[in-house]
Amino acid sequence: MSLTGKRSGVVFACLFLTPIFLLLITFRVVPGISAVWHSFTAWNGISPPTYVGLANYRQLLQDDVFWTALRNNFLLALAVPVWITVSLVLALLIHQEVPGWRFFRAAFFLPTVLSPVIVGTLFTALLRYDGPVNRALDIVGLGAIARDWLGNPATALPTLMLVILWCIFGHGVIVFLAGLAAIPREIFEAARLDGAAGWVFLRHIVVPSLRHVIEFWAVNLVVWSFTSLFAFVYVMTGGGPGYATMLVEYQLYLQAFESNHMGYACALGSALFLLVFGLIILQIRLMAGKED
Amino acid sequence: MRDEGRKHRHARRRGWGFGRPKIGRTGIVLVLVSVSVTTIYPLLFVIITAVKDRKAYILDRYGLPTSPTLTNFAAAWTNAKVGQYVWNSAIVVVTAVVLSWIVCCMAGYALSHLRFPGRRAAFFAILGSMMIAPQVIIIPLYAMLIKMDLLNEYPGLILVYVTLSAPFGTYLLTSYFKGVPTELVEAAQVDGANHAQILWRVMVPIARPALVTLGIFNFLWMWNELLFALLILQDDSVRTLMVGVANLRGQYTTNIPLLSAGLFLAATPVLMVFMVFQTQLTKGMTLGAVK
C-alpha cells in the first residue's frame, strides 16, 4: 500500500485518529459506562462490588443532604442571569471606548486566569471575621453588618456566589465584547437616533443582536455551575457550615473518597449526568452548529 | 494632525451611546474604575502582605510595608515546598500540553483534509464525548488508574489531562485546518509528500496561531486544575502546585504573609502568561461564541 497514493487518505485517517479514540475510550467512555454500572452496586472501592439494584437511587431520593446540595446547585444556576447581566453591562461600557478601556478590559479579565484554589484561598483570608472586607465595612460605617461571611449559614452561599462571580465575570465580558465587535455600528447609531437609551436600548437592541452569544454563554455557565465548582467549595467552605454550601459534585467527592461509599457516589454521578446531559448536548450543538 | 485627533475624538464622543444621556462618559469611567479596584486590590493585598514579616503584618495589616522582606518567599519556596510543587506541576503540564498538540493536530488534520468514510461521525463522536462530564467518571477512573499502576505517577494525570483537552482541541484545530486551501495539500502530494509530512511541514507552520491559542488555553486550565490532581497525585513527592497550595491553606492559616507569598508564587506563571499572551488568550476564550 502506497503512502502517497489515492487510498493513502484512509490509511492516514486511521493512523491519525487512533490516539485520540484510544484515549477517549479508555479514559472517558469506559469510566462513564463503568460509573453507571457501579451505581447499581454496593462498593467500597476495595472489595468487589455487589449488585443491589436500585437501592442507591432509593437512598438518593431519601437523602436530605442530596436535596440540599441539589437546591444549592439550582440556586447557583438561578444566579446565571445576574452573572450574564453584569458581564453584558460592563462589556457595553467598555465598548464605548472611554479613555483607558484596554486597561479595564485587562483588569476584568485578570481574575479569570487565576486558579479557583488561589481565588478561594485569597478570599477566605479576605472574608474572615477580622479580615479586610469587614474592616472596610467598618470604615464606611457599616460595621454593624460585619460578620464571618463564609462561616455563617445564612451568608455562606451568597458569599460563595459573589466570589465565583468575581472570578468569572471577566470571561463573560470578553465573550460579549467579541460579540459586540461583530455587530455593525449602524445598528447602534440608528437606535441612538431613535432615542433608545438605558433599559430599552439593552432590551430591544443589544439583547436581540447578541442572542446567539448570550445563549452560548448562558448554557456554558449553567453546565459550569453544575460541574465545575468543586475547587471553590473544597478550598473555601468544605460544603459547610452544616450543608449550607454543599453541591452535588462535592457530595459525590465526599461520599467516594471520604466515606468510601463508591457505589452510592456513582449513583450521585449518574444523577448529575442526567441533570446536565441535555444541556451539554445543547452546548455541543451551539459549538458545532457553525461546522455544517 | 491635531485637528484630525480632535475630529476623531469628537466622532467618538457623539458616537452611539448606551444610556449616554443618563450616565455620561465620566460616569462610565467611574463604574469601570470601581470594578477594576475590586479585581486588582485583592492581588495587591497579596503582594503587599507577602513582603511584610509576620510582626509587621500584625501591627499594620493594610498599610504599605515599611521594611520589605523576601523571607516569606524563601520560606514558601523551601519550607512549604512550593518550589518542589512548581516542578511537579511543570512536568505534568508541559508534557500534557505537548501531547495534546500532537493528538489534536493529527485528529484535526484527518477530520479536515482526509477523505474517508465516517468522517462526520468521527467528528461528532469526539465532540460528543464531552457529554460525559469529568466529575461523573472520577470514581471508575480512580479505580482504573490504581489497577494500571498509574496512581501517584505523572503519566496517570498527564493522560487524563490530554484526554480531557482532546475534544475542544480537535474542534479548534479542525476548524482552523478547514480554512487551509486543499490546493496546498494537493500541491504537496504532487511533490511526493505523504500526509504525515504534509501535516508537519505545511499544516503545523500555517496553524501556528491556533496552536499557540490551544497551548495557552491548555496550560492555564491544567495548571489551575484541582480535582484530578488531588486524586491522582496524592504522594507529597509528586503533588502538583494547586494541591500543595490547597494544603498550605490549612497548615498556615495564622501565617498570612507566608500564605500570601505562596499564593503569589503559585499565581506568577499564569500572570506571566496573562501579560504576554493576552490577545491569543482572549481569542481562545471566545472561541465558539461568535461567528
Side-chain angles (χ1 to χ4, degrees):
Chain A
M1 209 176 309
S2 153
L3 281 178
T4 49
K6 254 205 138 148
R7 294 196 49 81
S8 70
V10 180
V11 178
F12 275 98
C14 289
L15 198 68
F16 286 169
L17 288 171
T18 303
I20 194 168
F21 275 101
L22 219 58
L23 283 171
L24 286 174
I25 290 168
T26 318
F27 295 108
R28 204 144 183 181
V29 177
V30 169
I33 296 166
S34 172
V36 175
W37 149 245
H38 281 105
S39 71
F40 300 109
T41 67
W43 183 32
N44 60 14
I46 302 155
S47 37
T50 48
Y51 182 77
V52 292
L54 288 170
N56 287 325
Y57 290 96
R58 246 178 263 130
Q59 188 189 340
L60 196 66
L61 292 177
Q62 290 160 6
D63 184 349
D64 288 340
V65 181
F66 172 67
W67 289 109
T68 309
L70 201 58
R71 191 205 59 177
N72 290 341
N73 266 125
F74 272 104
L75 286 175
L76 275 163
L78 281 177
V80 164
V82 179
W83 296 351
I84 288 179
T85 312
V86 170
S87 297
L88 187 56
V89 168
L90 288 172
L92 277 166
L93 294 184
I94 288 183
H95 197 58
Q96 308 293 305
E97 301 196 344
V98 290
W101 65 275
R102 280 195 184 82
F103 167 80
F104 295 125
R105 189 181 59 181
F108 294 176
F109 192 42
L110 184 60
T112 62
V113 301
L114 296 174
S115 170
V117 175
I118 293 175
V119 174
T121 310
L122 174 58
F123 273 94
T124 312
L126 294 178
L127 290 162
R128 275 159 54 126
Y129 191 73
D130 57 353
V133 170
N134 281 331
R135 152 103 181 197
L137 287 174
D138 207 27
I139 291 170
V140 297
L142 289 170
I145 65 163
R147 69 196 67 203
D148 183 3
W149 295 95
L150 287 167
N152 183 319
T155 54
L157 190 64
T159 308
L160 188 71
M161 283 182 187
L162 272 178
V163 174
I164 294 167
L165 171 66
W166 182 85
C167 199
I168 57 149
F169 81 91
H171 195 156
V173 170
I174 298 286
V175 168
F176 290 138
L177 275 175
L180 284 169
I183 298 174
R185 294 215 157 204
E186 292 75 36
I187 292 182
F188 291 101
E189 186 65 25
R192 193 189 63 85
L193 290 175
D194 288 346
W199 176 248
V200 179
F201 179 70
L202 196 65
R203 174 81 183 73
H204 293 284
I205 310 295
V206 179
V207 173
S209 350
L210 285 180
R211 228 199 76 179
H212 176 78
V213 183
I214 294 173
E215 242 170 44
F216 170 84
W217 190 234
V219 173
N220 265 305
L221 281 179
V222 175
V223 171
W224 198 75
S225 73
F226 275 99
T227 60
S228 308
L229 301 178
F230 170 82
F232 287 104
V233 177
Y234 180 84
V235 171
M236 294 176 75
T237 63
Y243 297 108
T245 55
M246 183 62 75
L247 302 179
V248 177
E249 54 175 320
Y250 195 72
Q251 194 195 0
L252 185 158
Y253 167 81
L254 289 182
Q255 286 291 342
F257 300 102
E258 302 279 322
S259 321
N260 288 329
H261 297 151
M262 300 265 184
Y264 186 54
C266 282
L268 276 166
S270 304
L272 193 61
F273 174 72
L274 286 177
L275 270 172
V276 294
F277 175 74
L279 281 166
I280 297 181
I281 290 189
L282 191 61
Q283 194 180 22
I284 295 170
R285 279 185 54 180
L286 288 173
M287 247 174 97
K290 285 140 297 177
E291 290 300 311
D292 297 318
Chain B
M1 270 305 265
R2 196 200 225 165
D3 202 45
E4 232 171 55
R6 197 186 300 151
K7 219 193 284 167
H8 181 59
R9 205 158 51 227
H10 182 65
R12 262 202 201 164
R13 183 165 297 157
R14 63 165 202 91
W16 45 282
F18 158 66
R20 196 170 56 94
K22 278 184 201 154
I23 317 179
R25 294 179 80 81
T26 329
I28 293 176
V29 173
L30 274 177
V31 173
L32 295 177
V33 166
S34 41
V35 179
S36 305
V37 169
T38 69
T39 63
I40 294 173
Y41 177 73
L43 293 170
L44 224 53
F45 176 78
V46 167
I47 297 169
I48 294 171
T49 309
V51 295
K52 288 176 182 171
D53 61 39
R54 223 170 154 180
K55 202 167 145 203
Y57 174 72
I58 291 165
L59 290 176
D60 178 12
R61 291 186 169 200
Y62 308 104
L64 288 169
T66 43
S67 51
T69 160
L70 292 177
T71 49
N72 292 315
F73 291 100
W77 190 261
T78 49
N79 302 1
K81 296 196 210 159
V82 168
Q84 189 202 321
Y85 299 146
V86 166
W87 177 239
N88 295 343
S89 276
I91 293 175
V92 170
V93 173
V94 170
T95 320
V97 166
V98 172
L99 285 178
S100 175
W101 269 331
I102 298 172
V103 170
C104 299
C105 266
M106 293 198 294
Y109 180 67
L111 295 171
S112 60
H113 283 278
L114 297 182
R115 288 179 178 283
F116 60 95
R119 189 166 96 171
R120 255 177 74 84
F123 178 75
F124 280 101
I126 291 169
L127 272 194
S129 74
M130 282 163 59
M131 276 184 302
I132 308 164
Q135 286 68 20
V136 174
I137 58 170
I138 47 169
I139 302 158
L141 192 63
Y142 177 76
M144 196 175 87
L145 288 170
I146 294 179
K147 274 200 197 120
M148 295 167 87
D149 270 330
L150 286 174
L151 200 74
N152 289 320
E153 301 286 344
Y154 295 130
L157 189 58
I158 291 168
L159 289 173
V160 170
Y161 280 175
V162 175
T163 309
L164 291 177
S165 75
F168 177 75
T170 304
Y171 163 74
L172 191 155
L173 291 180
T174 304
S175 31
Y176 199 90
F177 287 155
K178 270 189 180 162
V180 179
T182 335
E183 288 76 26
L184 271 178
V185 177
E186 283 161 3
Q189 271 179 312
V190 170
D191 289 346
N194 67 39
H195 286 296
Q197 290 161 330
I198 296 171
L199 171 58
W200 180 244
R201 295 203 196 127
V202 180
M203 288 296 170
V204 168
I206 293 178
R208 194 171 294 155
L211 291 172
V212 171
T213 301
L214 177 64
I216 295 164
F217 187 79
N218 278 340
F219 171 84
L220 279 183
W221 79 257
M222 288 172 187
W223 188 269
N224 290 340
E225 204 274 338
L226 178 71
L227 179 59
F228 286 96
L230 185 72
L231 291 173
I232 297 173
L233 299 180
Q234 297 179 351
D235 267 2
D236 192 45
S237 60
V238 287
R239 200 171 274 172
T240 67
L241 184 58
M242 288 311 138
V243 182
V245 169
N247 274 12
L248 276 190
R249 170 199 49 117
Q251 228 173 319
Y252 294 96
T253 27
T254 52
N255 193 345
I256 303 289
L258 181 72
L259 191 64
S260 300
L263 283 181
F264 182 74
L265 289 173
T268 303
V270 291
L271 291 178
M272 271 159 54
V273 166
F274 168 76
M275 285 186 218
V276 178
F277 295 107
Q278 222 194 99
T279 324
Q280 289 89 334
L281 198 59
T282 314
K283 247 185 243 158
M285 292 187 125
T286 53
L287 229 116
V290 197
K291 204 165 44 176

